Amino acid sequence: VQLQASGGGLVQAGGSLRLSCAASGRTFSSYAMGWFRQAPGKEREFVAANSRSGGGTYYADSVKGRFTISRDNAKNTVYLQMNSLKPEDTAVYYCAARYGNLRKDYGMDYWGKGTQVTVSS
């Protein structure tokens, strides 16, 4: 599966952005999906994930209550709605996919190119 993320940009603190990740192929519903981010000088970290059906959603504590992951299997797309953005959310955001169920460590098999999110104070 090939993944293409979009929707990043520059936003003021307190603002919102919605990231999208379009997947190729006809078996999108067979993949668990996730969002990760990497800030300058830091390791990549888990942000959010959802199960193949979208019924199970999981979040990092740092974004819980502010970010929402969702998916539209008919459109082969997963979204990340980001509200109440903070400067510390600044990072390159990556979408990723895993065939089958989510792993407990959110390990993924496929990665897209990232999209930059910058939150100004």
Side-chain angles (χ1 to χ4, degrees), residues 28-86:
F28 180 70
S29 60
S30 298
Y31 292 85
M33 300 297 296
W35 288 95
F36 295 74
R37 68 186 181 186
Q38 187 167 20
K42 295 187 177 181
E43 293 186 354
R44 186 168 58 194
E45 64 176 0
F46 167 75
V47 175
N50 65 7
S51 61
R52 290 177 292 167
S53 68
T57 56
Y58 309 89
Y59 298 93
D61 288 344
S62 59
V63 307
K64 207 170 287 184
R66 300 188 297 123
F67 290 11
T68 302
I69 187 170
S70 61
R71 63 191 293 162
D72 185 336
N73 284 346
K75 295 182 178 180
N76 285 12
T77 302
V78 63
Y79 305 96
L80 185 68
Q81 177 67 44
M82 305 185 295
N83 298 329
S84 302
L85 282 161
K86 304 175 181 180

